[in-house]
């Protein structure tokens, strides 16, 4: 498949990819997180770099090697992710948000380890900033791509997210498909646009999903006025 694509067709483009989970610390030794493996984002970063783009990969804690030629920035919390992405996105042509950003963080991060207390415990959380939406408010020429995992009403919810966040498209998937999504090497996604138009892709390797995503983004960039 790859040989059919023109090589180095992303030369001169700056691409920012976020990947992996965030960790929202409660105290120095405990955090709220999720099982995102980072594989999808690393596949996008690797494919973009091999096609000639200048790639910054902002990654949460994952167990993956940095693809060759990619500049990696490691972060833990959503607030750190936001700072790193917003900064590198200034000069970017394309931003792909595959990171599984925690929606909430602890209202107060304890500076010392909390001892065990009573039989129940309540933790107050506050909402994290929506990074994709923030990039969407001052979009310029950039192409913005998001990912969403939904358990129900996927197309409707993903289209609503594309609208609210001003994303060019969202790649939607479901957590239930074996070998796909969290931790798997394959992905079965549906490309969803803000107007609700959608297109289901077959089950593909994450690398091939990345290649198709980049094909789409490249076409959108080429169609934009300078
Ligand atoms: N996203 C983001 N910042 C956040 C939350 C999500 O940039 N604080 C991005 C994700 O990286 C992803 C897209 O938004 O590309 C959709 O993520 P999702 O969690 O599905 O969106 P939410 O708006 O958080 O919706 P939900 O309430 O369904 O979790
Ligand atoms: Ca969310």
């Amino acid at each position: 498949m790859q040989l059919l694509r023109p090589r180095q067709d992303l030369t001169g483009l700056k691409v920012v990819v976020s990947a992996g989970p965030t960790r929202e610390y409660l105290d120095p030794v405990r955090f709220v997180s999720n099982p995102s493996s980072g594989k999808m984002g690393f596949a996008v970063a690797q494919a973009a770099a091999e096609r000639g783009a200048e790639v910054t990969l902002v990654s949460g804690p994952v167990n993956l090697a940095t693809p060759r030629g990619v500049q990696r920035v490691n972060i833990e919390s959503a607030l750190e992710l936001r700072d790193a992405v917003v900064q590198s996105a200034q000069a970017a042509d394309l931003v792909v948000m595959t990171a599984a950003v925690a929606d909430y963080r602890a209202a107060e991060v304890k500076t010392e380890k909390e001892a065990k207390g009573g039989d129940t415990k309540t933790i107050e959380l506050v909402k994290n900033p929506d990074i994709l939406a923030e990039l969407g408010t001052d979009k310029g020429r950039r192409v913005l791509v998001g990912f969403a995992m939904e358990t129900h009403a996927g197309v409707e919810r993903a289209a609503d997210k594309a609208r609210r966040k001003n994303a060019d498209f969202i790649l939607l998937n479901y957590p239930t498909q074996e070998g796909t999504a969290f931790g798997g090497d394959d992905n079965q996604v549906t490309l969803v646009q803000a107007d609700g138009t959608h297109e289901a892709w077959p089950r593909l390797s994450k690398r091939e999903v990345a290649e198709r995503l980049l094909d789409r983004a490249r076409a959108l960039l080429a169609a934009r006025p300078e």
Side-chain angles (χ1 to χ4, degrees):
M1 281 302 281
Q2 251 163 278
L3 289 177
L4 299 174
R5 289 193 176 83
R7 289 166 185 230
Q8 305 292 299
D9 64 344
L10 303 181
T11 300
L13 294 182
K14 291 192 168 70
V15 176
V16 176
V17 183
S18 72
T22 67
R23 286 181 178 173
E24 310 302 329
Y25 279 89
L26 307 176
D27 72 19
V29 294
R30 303 186 182 94
F31 53 78
V32 174
S33 192
N34 63 69
S36 171
S37 69
K39 284 181 181 176
M40 191 62 243
F42 275 59
V44 174
Q46 181 170 16
E50 287 179 14
R51 287 167 68 165
E54 193 180 306
V55 183
T56 303
L57 173 60
V58 181
S59 179
V62 297
N63 192 18
L64 295 172
T66 310
R68 185 191 295 269
V70 167
Q71 194 198 332
R72 176 168 175 178
V73 179
N74 290 320
I75 56 84
E76 285 193 282
S77 68
L79 292 179
E80 290 168 2
L81 176 66
R82 174 182 171 275
D83 286 350
V85 168
V86 167
Q87 197 191 3
S88 42
Q90 298 307 319
D93 301 288
L94 167 65
V95 181
V96 183
M97 290 289 299
T98 75
V101 186
D103 290 328
Y104 294 92
R105 67 181 182 278
E108 185 199 349
V109 183
K110 303 287 193 320
T111 53
E112 292 175 358
K113 183 186 165 188
E114 278 258 284
K116 176 164 61 186
D119 288 345
T120 64
K121 185 177 174 68
T122 304
I123 300 166
E124 194 185 357
L125 302 174
V126 294
K127 201 178 257 172
N128 274 325
D130 190 316
I131 301 156
L132 187 55
E134 187 173 329
L135 295 173
T137 58
D138 180 21
K139 196 171 172 187
R141 274 192 89 247
R142 284 190 301 242
V143 167
L144 298 180
V145 178
F147 275 76
M149 186 180 275
E150 306 288 357
T151 55
H152 64 286
V155 169
E156 207 175 297
R157 290 171 56 84
D160 186 53
K161 284 175 190 177
R163 267 193 301 280
R164 280 191 283 119
K165 299 173 193 248
N166 201 16
D168 291 86
F169 58 87
I170 299 267
L171 293 183
L172 157 72
N173 65 7
Y174 297 93
T176 46
Q177 290 144 332
E178 199 159 327
T180 68
F182 279 137
D185 288 321
D186 292 348
N187 212 347
Q188 207 267 297
V189 303
T190 299
L191 183 150
V192 183
Q193 288 171 300
D195 62 4
T197 33
H198 55 97
E199 172 187 313
W201 294 355
R203 177 174 172 158
L204 299 165
S205 66
K206 286 183 175 175
R207 175 59 186 249
E208 188 57 28
V209 171
E211 300 286 3
R212 288 192 182 206
L213 179 166
L214 293 168
D215 291 345
R216 284 305 187 96
R218 184 173 172 275
L220 287 171
L221 278 168
R224 284 196 181 169
E226 280 303 316

